[in-house]
Amino acid sequence: MFNLIIVDDEDIILNGLSKYVNWNILNFQVVGTAHSMAEALEIIESNPVDVVLTDIRMEYETGLDLIAQLAKDYPAIKTVILSGYEEFEYARRALQYGTFDFLTKPVNFNTLHETFRRLNEVLEEDMTKRQEDEEFIELRKSTFLNNLTRKNALIDPLLAKQLEIPLTSNMLQVARIRIEHMDDEDMTKAKSILRQTLSAILTVPYYISFNNTLNEVTLIIYDLPQEVGLVLLESFTQDLPYLVTIGLSKSFTHLNAFHAAYFQAGKALDYKVIKKNSLIIAFEEIENILYVEDVMSYELREKLLHYLLLKDISALTQLVIEEIRHIGEHSDTLNLVYSFCIELYLLIHNFLKNHHSEMVHDEIHDLLRQLIFRENIEDIIDYTLLYIENQKQYIQDISPCSGDSIKTAQNYIHEHYAENLTLNTLADLLFIHPIYLSKLFKEKTGQNFIDYLTHIRIEKAKYFLRETHFKIYDISEMVGYESPKYFSKLFKEAVGTTPKLYRCNHQLDA
């Protein structure tokens, strides 16, 4: 329902229009009446107002003055004027300020109904367009920031400015909020509650939020002292109806450090298994628990996952022994070895949790505490092999083909189709080797990854073409294609017609 105020210096007209017109059936409600321009502006300053119905001539000023002021300060407000036949020149000038229509006195109620029926349609269209524009900006912002989480991503400063994402600040910090123990089907609602709770605690100038993984929301916090941020985030975790864990990065001053900060916040979340009773884990804390960046290379990680998927315990243990000895031989202390073992335990833990969650218990924090009591390489190897042996049955029992891995991948694609999405991105998410994921995806969906992604993007494009006013080049970007020409080529190959003709044909059918 849209909010209306009525302005006239005659009480009889104010009372008649406000009380004897059934505004509800026209989708309007009268939120105030005013005798003058000053009274009208006072109402508008303290209430959301969509429409002003005003007399053109009042005792001390004209409605034209009010309309001119609204056009300057509140351009979104629509105006309708009341005028006598002899005041046509006023009405003509009011139309130059964008007045929607004018009604002559005495008011014909049928004419008033028709005018406000048309006005309601215009306001509904405007509201839909605003919502679409907000959704478009939100999607572009989320895509921009999610792409920055990828390694070696480049920042487009013009796009950042357009999206109102500040690149620099006296202090920036990344917070990754992970929703614990919830099915994918409930995650959308959970994220909506999370965002609403956030907006009630943090004011918008202090943060930007976006969805990253299926069970996470990421914040970029601006110019908020760390101690204040911690208090607010602690309050936030208590206000939610479900459990979350928050990982905090170190502070930084430019968004070109965002990828590193995002990684830090994620690594803090991984170390929750060590800090068992903590809901908020700062990266500075885990730096003191022997974490060393890049102690496990991407290639080594993929090889370990490959052996886990093959259930080749012999090859896995041999690789682990070789790596621990190699690190020990090239390091003056055991800290790098401890760090590698922690990363290995976390990798196996997360792999099993992803593929066989009902078999995994959060006992790893005790395991890691015991690790540092091993004071030579051979003891560390023996302890690590014992851990792998204890997980052997879990590893042998996993069955990714009958699990939810591909369903999770599909859900992720549906949420992140507009981004620079790759098979490796999904593989990292699922703790699966990319080659194995490619094979599994084909088996379960009948399509390879890139064909499935293209299909989702084209279906989304068809929806945007049918249901929104967006330009085709905007839709191209919204579904993940920087080149509108390439998008049009793919669209025609998939649909049999160009995006423009598809939109025209739909409009003709409608």
Side-chain angles (χ1 to χ4, degrees), residues 82-85 103-109:
L82 294 166
S83 69
Y85 285 109
L103 303 169
T104 56
K105 294 181 180 179
V107 176
N108 181 301
F109 284 95

Side-chain angles (χ1 to χ4, degrees), residues 25-26 38-39 56 104 152 236 240 278 300 327 439 503:
I25 66 170
L26 296 169
E39 287 182 17
I56 198 71
T104 56
N152 301 320
F236 163 72
L240 286 170
S278 299
L300 177 59
I327 294 172
K439 178 184 176 184
R503 170 172 274 173

Side-chain angles (χ1 to χ4, degrees), residues 290 334-335 338 341-342 345 365-381 383:
L290 306 174
L334 291 176
N335 284 359
Y338 291 144
C341 289
I342 290 173
Y345 302 165
H365 61 283
D366 296 323
L367 181 79
L368 300 180
R369 288 195 179 102
Q370 291 296 321
L371 172 67
I372 59 174
F373 292 114
R374 272 60 189 176
E375 297 180 349
N376 63 67
I377 292 296
E378 295 307 315
D379 281 352
I380 292 172
I381 288 174
Y383 188 71

Side-chain angles (χ1 to χ4, degrees), residues 147-316:
N147 285 336
L148 286 187
T149 66
R150 314 315 190 227
K151 198 168 186 178
N152 301 320
L154 299 176
I155 294 177
D156 182 344
L158 292 178
L159 181 55
K161 184 177 181 180
Q162 185 181 359
L163 297 175
E164 298 182 344
I165 299 174
L167 294 181
T168 60
S169 177
N170 292 328
M171 191 183 81
L172 290 162
Q173 196 171 21
V174 170
R176 286 174 63 174
I177 305 170
R178 181 173 293 167
I179 301 170
E180 305 285 358
H181 315 305
M182 188 167 293
D183 295 335
D184 290 345
E185 290 77 10
D186 300 322
M187 197 58 70
T188 300
K189 183 179 179 181
K191 285 184 177 181
S192 176
I193 294 171
L194 189 153
R195 286 172 176 271
Q196 290 171 13
T197 308
L198 267 176
S199 64
I201 292 174
L202 287 173
T203 53
V204 172
Y206 287 121
Y207 78 96
I208 296 172
S209 67
F210 65 98
N211 294 340
N212 47 321
T213 66
L214 286 175
N215 64 335
E216 283 184 20
V217 171
T218 291
L219 308 184
I220 304 176
I221 303 172
Y222 288 83
D223 291 329
L224 197 62
Q226 287 185 336
E227 61 275 11
V228 176
L230 278 172
V231 170
L232 292 175
L233 288 173
E234 285 173 2
S235 173
F236 163 72
T237 60
Q238 295 166 9
D239 289 346
L240 286 170
Y242 47 79
L243 180 65
V244 298
T245 308
I246 302 175
L248 289 174
S249 74
K250 297 168 76 171
S251 62
F252 56 107
T253 58
H254 195 287
L255 215 59
N256 58 17
F258 175 68
H259 169 75
Y262 178 84
F263 176 83
Q264 290 171 5
K267 187 54 64 177
L269 283 175
D270 287 343
Y271 274 62
K272 175 185 181 292
V273 293
I274 301 173
K275 299 179 68 63
K276 186 179 179 182
N277 298 316
S278 299
L279 295 180
I280 302 176
I281 304 105
F283 182 75
E284 283 97 337
E285 297 176 62
I286 71 163
E287 277 190 306
N288 298 325
I289 312 177
L290 306 174
Y291 170 71
V292 178
E293 191 171 355
D294 295 330
V295 71
M296 182 183 289
S297 69
Y298 181 82
E299 293 75 18
L300 177 59
R301 181 181 183 277
E302 293 303 297
K303 192 176 289 187
L304 290 166
L305 284 173
H306 180 64
Y307 289 144
L308 284 167
L309 282 164
L310 292 178
K311 307 176 186 180
D312 191 340
I313 305 300
S314 175
L316 176 70

Side-chain angles (χ1 to χ4, degrees), residues 76-87:
I77 293 178
K78 304 291 185 185
T79 55
V80 177
I81 60 173
L82 294 166
S83 69
Y85 285 109
E86 72 280 3
E87 296 162 348

Side-chain angles (χ1 to χ4, degrees), residues 84-140:
Y85 285 109
E86 72 280 3
E87 296 162 348
F88 180 75
E89 179 58 27
Y90 281 116
R92 187 187 65 79
R93 290 171 59 193
L95 291 174
Q96 292 176 348
Y97 286 110
T99 291
F100 179 76
D101 207 345
F102 66 91
L103 303 169
T104 56
K105 294 181 180 179
V107 176
N108 181 301
F109 284 95
N110 288 333
T111 304
L112 182 145
H113 273 242
E114 176 59 23
T115 297
F116 276 84
R117 183 195 64 76
R118 290 188 293 108
L119 180 53
N120 178 65
E121 289 180 355
V122 170
L123 289 169
E124 292 277 10
E125 289 174 3
D126 287 350
M127 184 170 65
T128 299
K129 187 176 184 299
R130 280 197 305 273
Q131 289 172 345
E132 288 176 354
D133 289 342
E134 288 169 4
E135 289 170 8
F136 177 43
I137 291 171
E138 187 68 21
L139 177 60
R140 294 184 75 200

Side-chain angles (χ1 to χ4, degrees), residues 136 139-140 143 147 413-421 450 452-465 468 470-484 486-488 490-491 499:
F136 177 43
L139 177 60
R140 294 184 75 200
T143 301
N147 285 336
I413 292 169
H414 278 268
E415 188 172 297
H416 295 266
Y417 60 86
E419 298 160 21
N420 295 332
L421 202 53
I450 198 65
Y452 185 86
L453 175 60
T454 301
H455 171 73
I456 295 302
R457 286 174 167 176
I458 295 301
E459 288 302 308
K460 292 289 184 181
K462 287 162 67 177
Y463 168 80
F464 289 134
L465 288 165
T468 74
F470 297 134
K471 304 291 186 186
I472 290 173
Y473 57 79
D474 286 333
I475 292 174
S476 171
E477 180 185 344
M478 290 172 71
V479 299
Y481 298 108
E482 293 182 5
S483 167
Y486 180 64
F487 162 67
S488 294
L490 283 180
F491 190 94

Side-chain angles (χ1 to χ4, degrees), residues 1-7 23-24 26-33 40 43-54 70 74 76-80 116 119-120 123-124 127 130:
M1 194 167 287
F2 296 109
N3 291 341
L4 165 72
I5 66 169
I6 304 171
V7 187
W23 292 107
N24 285 346
L26 296 169
N27 200 33
F28 291 91
Q29 60 181 352
V30 178
V31 295
T33 59
I43 294 170
I44 290 168
E45 285 172 3
S46 56
N47 296 277
V49 173
D50 302 296
V51 179
V52 174
L53 173 60
T54 179
L70 293 177
Y74 303 94
I77 293 178
K78 304 291 185 185
T79 55
V80 177
F116 276 84
L119 180 53
N120 178 65
L123 289 169
E124 292 277 10
M127 184 170 65
R130 280 197 305 273

